[in-house]
mmCIF file of all heavy atoms in Angstrom:
data_model
loop_
_atom_site.group_PDB
_atom_site.id
_atom_site.type_symbol
_atom_site.label_atom_id
_atom_site.label_comp_id
_atom_site.label_asym_id
_atom_site.label_seq_id
_atom_site.Cartn_x
_atom_site.Cartn_y
_atom_site.Cartn_z
ATOM 1 N N GLY K 184 -151.034 -120.822 19.949
ATOM 2 C CA GLY K 184 -152.276 -121.134 20.592
ATOM 3 C C GLY K 184 -153.053 -119.920 21.304
ATOM 4 O O GLY K 184 -152.486 -118.817 21.269
ATOM 5 N N PRO K 185 -154.213 -120.096 21.955
ATOM 6 C CA PRO K 185 -154.806 -119.045 22.502
ATOM 7 C C PRO K 185 -154.039 -118.237 23.593
ATOM 8 O O PRO K 185 -154.307 -117.208 23.929
ATOM 9 C CB PRO K 185 -156.110 -119.767 23.052
ATOM 10 C CG PRO K 185 -155.744 -121.192 23.168
ATOM 11 C CD PRO K 185 -154.771 -121.374 22.107
ATOM 12 N N ASP K 186 -153.220 -119.029 24.321
ATOM 13 C CA ASP K 186 -152.329 -118.500 25.314
ATOM 14 C C ASP K 186 -150.902 -118.105 24.785
ATOM 15 O O ASP K 186 -150.033 -118.066 25.508
ATOM 16 C CB ASP K 186 -152.181 -119.343 26.509
ATOM 17 C CG ASP K 186 -153.630 -119.446 27.230
ATOM 18 O OD1 ASP K 186 -154.292 -118.425 27.388
ATOM 19 O OD2 ASP K 186 -153.920 -120.585 27.750
ATOM 20 N N GLN K 187 -150.803 -118.062 23.438
ATOM 21 C CA GLN K 187 -149.523 -117.771 22.771
ATOM 22 C C GLN K 187 -148.512 -118.885 22.965
ATOM 23 O O GLN K 187 -147.323 -118.756 22.721
ATOM 24 C CB GLN K 187 -148.896 -116.388 23.245
ATOM 25 C CG GLN K 187 -149.665 -115.234 22.862
ATOM 26 C CD GLN K 187 -149.884 -115.089 21.353
ATOM 27 O OE1 GLN K 187 -148.839 -114.997 20.635
ATOM 28 N NE2 GLN K 187 -151.152 -115.139 20.924
ATOM 29 N N GLU K 188 -148.979 -120.010 23.270
ATOM 30 C CA GLU K 188 -148.170 -121.213 23.277
ATOM 31 C C GLU K 188 -147.688 -121.641 22.046
ATOM 32 O O GLU K 188 -148.365 -121.598 20.978
ATOM 33 C CB GLU K 188 -148.831 -122.357 24.046
ATOM 34 C CG GLU K 188 -150.075 -122.941 23.376
ATOM 35 C CD GLU K 188 -151.344 -122.402 23.782
ATOM 36 O OE1 GLU K 188 -151.290 -121.158 24.286
ATOM 37 O OE2 GLU K 188 -152.329 -122.991 23.546
ATOM 38 N N TYR K 189 -146.492 -122.215 21.951
ATOM 39 C CA TYR K 189 -145.845 -122.761 20.696
ATOM 40 C C TYR K 189 -146.192 -124.186 20.553
ATOM 41 O O TYR K 189 -146.440 -124.908 21.647
ATOM 42 C CB TYR K 189 -144.327 -122.614 20.742
ATOM 43 C CG TYR K 189 -143.705 -121.273 20.713
ATOM 44 C CD1 TYR K 189 -143.398 -120.538 21.834
ATOM 45 C CD2 TYR K 189 -143.596 -120.571 19.424
ATOM 46 C CE1 TYR K 189 -142.862 -119.327 21.783
ATOM 47 C CE2 TYR K 189 -143.060 -119.364 19.456
ATOM 48 C CZ TYR K 189 -142.747 -118.715 20.580
ATOM 49 O OH TYR K 189 -142.230 -117.298 20.458
ATOM 50 N N SER K 190 -146.338 -124.690 19.417
ATOM 51 C CA SER K 190 -146.677 -125.954 19.096
ATOM 52 C C SER K 190 -145.492 -126.716 18.419
ATOM 53 O O SER K 190 -145.287 -126.370 17.256
ATOM 54 C CB SER K 190 -147.941 -126.270 18.341
ATOM 55 O OG SER K 190 -148.226 -127.557 18.097
ATOM 56 N N VAL K 191 -144.757 -127.570 19.032
ATOM 57 C CA VAL K 191 -143.600 -128.189 18.512
ATOM 58 C C VAL K 191 -143.962 -129.744 18.247
ATOM 59 O O VAL K 191 -144.585 -130.410 19.065
ATOM 60 C CB VAL K 191 -142.353 -128.090 19.354
ATOM 61 C CG1 VAL K 191 -141.189 -129.015 18.892
ATOM 62 C CG2 VAL K 191 -141.859 -126.755 19.562
ATOM 63 N N HIS K 192 -143.740 -130.118 16.992
ATOM 64 C CA HIS K 192 -143.890 -131.442 16.629
ATOM 65 C C HIS K 192 -142.560 -132.075 16.314
ATOM 66 O O HIS K 192 -141.758 -131.533 15.483
ATOM 67 C CB HIS K 192 -144.869 -131.670 15.528
ATOM 68 C CG HIS K 192 -146.278 -131.244 15.683
ATOM 69 N ND1 HIS K 192 -147.253 -132.117 15.750
ATOM 70 C CD2 HIS K 192 -146.781 -130.119 15.964
ATOM 71 C CE1 HIS K 192 -148.423 -131.617 16.010
ATOM 72 N NE2 HIS K 192 -148.163 -130.300 16.289
ATOM 73 N N LEU K 193 -142.224 -133.260 16.810
ATOM 74 C CA LEU K 193 -140.980 -133.919 16.667
ATOM 75 C C LEU K 193 -141.263 -135.191 15.723
ATOM 76 O O LEU K 193 -142.602 -135.347 15.362
ATOM 77 C CB LEU K 193 -140.312 -134.424 17.906
ATOM 78 C CG LEU K 193 -140.024 -133.370 18.888
ATOM 79 C CD1 LEU K 193 -139.235 -133.871 20.069
ATOM 80 C CD2 LEU K 193 -139.252 -132.179 18.312
ATOM 81 N N ASP K 194 -140.285 -135.773 15.267
ATOM 82 C CA ASP K 194 -140.398 -137.034 14.551
ATOM 83 C C ASP K 194 -139.557 -138.131 15.113
ATOM 84 O O ASP K 194 -138.674 -138.557 14.459
ATOM 85 C CB ASP K 194 -140.104 -136.843 12.967
ATOM 86 C CG ASP K 194 -140.314 -137.891 12.145
ATOM 87 O OD1 ASP K 194 -141.144 -138.891 12.493
ATOM 88 O OD2 ASP K 194 -139.726 -138.010 10.985
ATOM 89 N N THR K 195 -139.928 -138.490 16.259
ATOM 90 C CA THR K 195 -139.157 -139.582 16.968
ATOM 91 C C THR K 195 -139.952 -140.322 17.880
ATOM 92 O O THR K 195 -141.219 -140.115 18.001
ATOM 93 C CB THR K 195 -137.846 -138.887 17.601
ATOM 94 O OG1 THR K 195 -137.122 -139.898 18.063
ATOM 95 C CG2 THR K 195 -138.290 -137.971 18.717
ATOM 96 N N GLY K 196 -139.471 -141.244 18.781
ATOM 97 C CA GLY K 196 -140.114 -141.955 19.660
ATOM 98 C C GLY K 196 -139.167 -142.999 20.178
ATOM 99 O O GLY K 196 -138.156 -142.959 19.950
ATOM 100 N N GLU K 197 -139.819 -143.921 21.077
ATOM 101 C CA GLU K 197 -139.083 -144.919 21.733
ATOM 102 C C GLU K 197 -137.928 -144.340 22.359
ATOM 103 O O GLU K 197 -138.127 -143.258 23.066
ATOM 104 C CB GLU K 197 -138.787 -146.074 20.762
ATOM 105 C CG GLU K 197 -140.051 -146.632 20.056
ATOM 106 C CD GLU K 197 -139.601 -147.787 19.086
ATOM 107 O OE1 GLU K 197 -138.580 -148.362 19.237
ATOM 108 O OE2 GLU K 197 -140.416 -148.064 18.208
ATOM 109 N N ARG K 198 -136.762 -144.884 22.388
ATOM 110 C CA ARG K 198 -135.651 -144.468 23.184
ATOM 111 C C ARG K 198 -134.531 -143.858 22.338
ATOM 112 O O ARG K 198 -133.354 -144.099 22.620
ATOM 113 C CB ARG K 198 -135.004 -145.565 24.069
ATOM 114 C CG ARG K 198 -136.073 -146.076 25.118
ATOM 115 C CD ARG K 198 -135.513 -147.139 26.020
ATOM 116 N NE ARG K 198 -136.432 -147.635 26.909
ATOM 117 C CZ ARG K 198 -136.258 -148.559 27.834
ATOM 118 N NH1 ARG K 198 -135.004 -149.190 27.971
ATOM 119 N NH2 ARG K 198 -137.057 -148.929 28.716
ATOM 120 N N TYR K 199 -134.949 -143.160 21.232
ATOM 121 C CA TYR K 199 -133.867 -142.582 20.392
ATOM 122 C C TYR K 199 -133.542 -141.293 21.117
ATOM 123 O O TYR K 199 -133.885 -140.136 20.531
ATOM 124 C CB TYR K 199 -134.402 -142.512 19.080
ATOM 125 C CG TYR K 199 -134.742 -143.864 18.319
ATOM 126 C CD1 TYR K 199 -136.069 -144.118 17.845
ATOM 127 C CD2 TYR K 199 -133.759 -144.771 18.161
ATOM 128 C CE1 TYR K 199 -136.321 -145.267 17.369
ATOM 129 C CE2 TYR K 199 -133.970 -145.939 17.554
ATOM 130 C CZ TYR K 199 -135.348 -146.333 17.230
ATOM 131 O OH TYR K 199 -135.551 -147.496 16.556
ATOM 132 N N TRP K 200 -132.913 -141.229 22.170
ATOM 133 C CA TRP K 200 -132.708 -139.932 22.875
ATOM 134 C C TRP K 200 -131.876 -138.923 22.133
ATOM 135 O O TRP K 200 -132.137 -137.644 22.320
ATOM 136 C CB TRP K 200 -131.968 -140.234 24.226
ATOM 137 C CG TRP K 200 -132.730 -141.213 25.104
ATOM 138 C CD1 TRP K 200 -132.249 -142.413 25.552
ATOM 139 C CD2 TRP K 200 -134.200 -141.228 25.486
ATOM 140 N NE1 TRP K 200 -133.200 -143.033 26.301
ATOM 141 C CE2 TRP K 200 -134.315 -142.413 26.213
ATOM 142 C CE3 TRP K 200 -135.258 -140.383 25.146
ATOM 143 C CZ2 TRP K 200 -135.578 -142.809 26.808
ATOM 144 C CZ3 TRP K 200 -136.473 -140.693 25.685
ATOM 145 C CH2 TRP K 200 -136.666 -141.874 26.457
ATOM 146 N N GLY K 201 -130.932 -139.357 21.278
ATOM 147 C CA GLY K 201 -130.260 -138.443 20.409
ATOM 148 C C GLY K 201 -131.171 -137.711 19.513
ATOM 149 O O GLY K 201 -130.920 -136.515 19.271
ATOM 150 N N GLN K 202 -132.040 -138.349 18.902
ATOM 151 C CA GLN K 202 -133.054 -137.749 18.024
ATOM 152 C C GLN K 202 -133.833 -136.662 18.872
ATOM 153 O O GLN K 202 -134.145 -135.521 18.370
ATOM 154 C CB GLN K 202 -133.986 -138.657 17.334
ATOM 155 C CG GLN K 202 -133.241 -139.521 16.222
ATOM 156 C CD GLN K 202 -134.239 -140.367 15.637
ATOM 157 O OE1 GLN K 202 -135.465 -140.465 15.992
ATOM 158 N NE2 GLN K 202 -133.734 -141.210 14.507
ATOM 159 N N TYR K 203 -134.323 -136.993 20.017
ATOM 160 C CA TYR K 203 -134.998 -136.055 20.827
ATOM 161 C C TYR K 203 -134.271 -134.761 21.037
ATOM 162 O O TYR K 203 -134.744 -133.714 20.965
ATOM 163 C CB TYR K 203 -135.473 -136.579 22.260
ATOM 164 C CG TYR K 203 -136.380 -137.776 22.220
ATOM 165 C CD1 TYR K 203 -136.072 -138.988 21.877
ATOM 166 C CD2 TYR K 203 -137.686 -137.582 22.636
ATOM 167 C CE1 TYR K 203 -137.007 -140.109 22.137
ATOM 168 C CE2 TYR K 203 -138.605 -138.480 22.750
ATOM 169 C CZ TYR K 203 -138.275 -139.703 22.361
ATOM 170 O OH TYR K 203 -139.300 -140.831 22.466
ATOM 171 N N VAL K 204 -133.086 -134.928 21.436
ATOM 172 C CA VAL K 204 -132.172 -133.667 21.723
ATOM 173 C C VAL K 204 -131.914 -132.894 20.474
ATOM 174 O O VAL K 204 -132.112 -131.732 20.510
ATOM 175 C CB VAL K 204 -130.869 -134.112 22.352
ATOM 176 C CG1 VAL K 204 -130.011 -132.878 22.559
ATOM 177 C CG2 VAL K 204 -131.149 -134.918 23.770
ATOM 178 N N TYR K 205 -131.594 -133.717 19.409
ATOM 179 C CA TYR K 205 -131.212 -133.059 18.073
ATOM 180 C C TYR K 205 -132.458 -132.286 17.583
ATOM 181 O O TYR K 205 -132.163 -131.110 17.202
ATOM 182 C CB TYR K 205 -130.703 -134.026 17.170
ATOM 183 C CG TYR K 205 -130.520 -133.488 15.762
ATOM 184 C CD1 TYR K 205 -129.387 -132.820 15.401
ATOM 185 C CD2 TYR K 205 -131.446 -133.734 14.745
ATOM 186 C CE1 TYR K 205 -129.163 -132.439 14.160
ATOM 187 C CE2 TYR K 205 -131.319 -133.181 13.503
ATOM 188 C CZ TYR K 205 -130.121 -132.564 13.233
ATOM 189 O OH TYR K 205 -129.761 -132.098 11.935
ATOM 190 N N GLN K 206 -133.592 -132.874 17.505
ATOM 191 C CA GLN K 206 -134.796 -132.220 16.994
ATOM 192 C C GLN K 206 -135.381 -131.158 17.878
ATOM 193 O O GLN K 206 -135.614 -130.018 17.350
ATOM 194 C CB GLN K 206 -135.911 -133.206 16.673
ATOM 195 C CG GLN K 206 -135.575 -134.180 15.617
ATOM 196 C CD GLN K 206 -136.540 -135.286 15.312
ATOM 197 O OE1 GLN K 206 -137.731 -135.057 15.735
ATOM 198 N NE2 GLN K 206 -136.248 -136.383 14.575
ATOM 199 N N PHE K 207 -135.452 -131.343 19.197
ATOM 200 C CA PHE K 207 -136.122 -130.334 19.990
ATOM 201 C C PHE K 207 -135.240 -129.062 20.132
ATOM 202 O O PHE K 207 -135.758 -128.038 20.045
ATOM 203 C CB PHE K 207 -136.261 -130.929 21.370
ATOM 204 C CG PHE K 207 -137.163 -130.185 22.272
ATOM 205 C CD1 PHE K 207 -138.293 -129.463 21.891
ATOM 206 C CD2 PHE K 207 -136.921 -130.112 23.647
ATOM 207 C CE1 PHE K 207 -139.098 -128.651 22.600
ATOM 208 C CE2 PHE K 207 -137.749 -129.365 24.520
ATOM 209 C CZ PHE K 207 -138.823 -128.698 24.007
ATOM 210 N N SER K 208 -133.864 -129.317 20.269
ATOM 211 C CA SER K 208 -133.070 -128.028 20.336
ATOM 212 C C SER K 208 -133.059 -127.237 19.029
ATOM 213 O O SER K 208 -132.951 -126.050 19.055
ATOM 214 C CB SER K 208 -131.665 -128.555 20.721
ATOM 215 O OG SER K 208 -131.127 -129.443 19.838
ATOM 216 N N HIS K 209 -133.234 -127.940 17.860
ATOM 217 C CA HIS K 209 -133.403 -127.223 16.654
ATOM 218 C C HIS K 209 -134.688 -126.238 16.615
ATOM 219 O O HIS K 209 -134.600 -125.111 16.194
ATOM 220 C CB HIS K 209 -133.505 -128.172 15.375
ATOM 221 C CG HIS K 209 -133.637 -127.607 14.109
ATOM 222 N ND1 HIS K 209 -132.629 -127.595 13.143
ATOM 223 C CD2 HIS K 209 -134.652 -126.963 13.529
ATOM 224 C CE1 HIS K 209 -132.970 -126.976 12.004
ATOM 225 N NE2 HIS K 209 -134.299 -126.632 12.275
ATOM 226 N N GLU K 210 -135.766 -126.888 17.130
ATOM 227 C CA GLU K 210 -137.042 -126.155 17.168
ATOM 228 C C GLU K 210 -137.006 -125.036 18.217
ATOM 229 O O GLU K 210 -137.500 -124.019 18.077
ATOM 230 C CB GLU K 210 -138.146 -127.076 17.267
ATOM 231 C CG GLU K 210 -138.349 -128.144 16.330
ATOM 232 C CD GLU K 210 -138.368 -127.762 14.861
ATOM 233 O OE1 GLU K 210 -138.699 -126.554 14.503
ATOM 234 O OE2 GLU K 210 -137.757 -128.413 13.974
ATOM 235 N N LEU K 211 -136.330 -125.301 19.389
ATOM 236 C CA LEU K 211 -136.095 -124.241 20.403
ATOM 237 C C LEU K 211 -135.338 -123.072 19.831
ATOM 238 O O LEU K 211 -135.613 -122.015 20.104
ATOM 239 C CB LEU K 211 -135.377 -124.847 21.532
ATOM 240 C CG LEU K 211 -136.194 -125.899 22.462
ATOM 241 C CD1 LEU K 211 -135.330 -126.395 23.501
ATOM 242 C CD2 LEU K 211 -137.394 -125.167 22.952
ATOM 243 N N CYS K 212 -134.389 -123.413 18.917
ATOM 244 C CA CYS K 212 -133.551 -122.180 18.321
ATOM 245 C C CYS K 212 -134.385 -121.498 17.414
ATOM 246 O O CYS K 212 -134.242 -120.202 17.349
ATOM 247 C CB CYS K 212 -132.333 -122.831 17.513
ATOM 248 S SG CYS K 212 -131.320 -121.611 16.907
ATOM 249 N N HIS K 213 -135.371 -122.000 16.757
ATOM 250 C CA HIS K 213 -136.368 -121.212 15.967
ATOM 251 C C HIS K 213 -137.188 -120.285 16.790
ATOM 252 O O HIS K 213 -137.384 -119.165 16.496
ATOM 253 C CB HIS K 213 -137.342 -122.111 15.081
ATOM 254 C CG HIS K 213 -136.795 -122.685 13.808
ATOM 255 N ND1 HIS K 213 -136.348 -121.820 12.827
ATOM 256 C CD2 HIS K 213 -136.755 -123.964 13.372
ATOM 257 C CE1 HIS K 213 -135.922 -122.652 11.823
ATOM 258 N NE2 HIS K 213 -136.025 -123.890 12.076
ATOM 259 N N ILE K 214 -137.554 -120.840 17.872
ATOM 260 C CA ILE K 214 -138.270 -119.956 18.854
ATOM 261 C C ILE K 214 -137.420 -118.809 19.404
ATOM 262 O O ILE K 214 -137.755 -117.666 19.518
ATOM 263 C CB ILE K 214 -138.803 -120.810 20.095
ATOM 264 C CG1 ILE K 214 -139.840 -121.808 19.586
ATOM 265 C CG2 ILE K 214 -139.288 -119.993 21.052
ATOM 266 C CD1 ILE K 214 -140.444 -122.803 20.630
ATOM 267 N N LEU K 215 -136.161 -119.193 19.682
ATOM 268 C CA LEU K 215 -135.235 -118.167 20.181
ATOM 269 C C LEU K 215 -134.943 -117.005 19.058
ATOM 270 O O LEU K 215 -134.836 -115.878 19.318
ATOM 271 C CB LEU K 215 -133.866 -118.774 20.517
ATOM 272 C CG LEU K 215 -132.780 -117.791 21.143
ATOM 273 C CD1 LEU K 215 -133.227 -117.230 22.390
ATOM 274 C CD2 LEU K 215 -131.435 -118.518 21.132
ATOM 275 N N CYS K 216 -135.004 -117.498 17.808
ATOM 276 C CA CYS K 216 -134.720 -116.545 16.681
ATOM 277 C C CYS K 216 -135.950 -115.697 16.380
ATOM 278 O O CYS K 216 -135.770 -114.806 15.609
ATOM 279 C CB CYS K 216 -134.405 -117.413 15.455
ATOM 280 S SG CYS K 216 -132.859 -118.152 15.228
ATOM 281 N N GLN K 217 -137.144 -115.953 16.966
ATOM 282 C CA GLN K 217 -138.316 -115.286 16.719
ATOM 283 C C GLN K 217 -138.729 -115.430 15.255
ATOM 284 O O GLN K 217 -138.949 -114.389 14.616
ATOM 285 C CB GLN K 217 -138.249 -113.749 17.186
ATOM 286 C CG GLN K 217 -137.980 -113.494 18.729
ATOM 287 C CD GLN K 217 -138.255 -112.164 19.124
ATOM 288 O OE1 GLN K 217 -139.366 -111.864 19.455
ATOM 289 N NE2 GLN K 217 -137.302 -111.370 18.956
ATOM 290 N N TYR K 218 -138.735 -116.718 14.921
ATOM 291 C CA TYR K 218 -139.045 -117.007 13.536
ATOM 292 C C TYR K 218 -140.274 -116.346 12.973
ATOM 293 O O TYR K 218 -141.228 -116.068 13.758
ATOM 294 C CB TYR K 218 -139.122 -118.551 13.375
ATOM 295 C CG TYR K 218 -140.302 -119.227 14.101
ATOM 296 C CD1 TYR K 218 -141.371 -119.650 13.427
ATOM 297 C CD2 TYR K 218 -140.215 -119.284 15.451
ATOM 298 C CE1 TYR K 218 -142.555 -120.250 14.096
ATOM 299 C CE2 TYR K 218 -141.403 -119.750 16.243
ATOM 300 C CZ TYR K 218 -142.427 -120.161 15.471
ATOM 301 O OH TYR K 218 -143.642 -120.783 16.262
ATOM 302 N N ASP K 219 -140.280 -116.073 11.682
ATOM 303 C CA ASP K 219 -141.399 -115.414 11.155
ATOM 304 C C ASP K 219 -141.449 -115.710 9.673
ATOM 305 O O ASP K 219 -140.630 -116.516 9.159
ATOM 306 C CB ASP K 219 -141.429 -113.934 11.334
ATOM 307 C CG ASP K 219 -140.116 -113.296 10.937
ATOM 308 O OD1 ASP K 219 -139.635 -113.744 9.930
ATOM 309 O OD2 ASP K 219 -139.756 -112.217 11.592
#
């Protein structure tokens, strides 16, 4: 984004908390890796 923000899209909802954790930590790791 214009302020260098990352845009993460998940594929979950409702109360599937395990999916939130699983998917979000995966994408956070890409950010940590400095994906390119």
Side-chain angles (χ1 to χ4, degrees):
D186 296 319
Q187 292 301 298
E188 64 268 24
Y189 291 94
S190 182
V191 171
H192 290 246
L193 304 184
D194 183 22
T195 188
E197 302 183 23
R198 297 183 180 181
Y199 299 118
W200 306 127
Q202 287 185 355
Y203 287 84
V204 175
Y205 175 79
Q206 294 181 13
F207 192 36
S208 52
H209 182 106
E210 304 311 326
L211 289 174
C212 186
H213 278 302
I214 293 172
L215 181 66
C216 289
Q217 300 196 89
Y218 65 104
D219 53 33

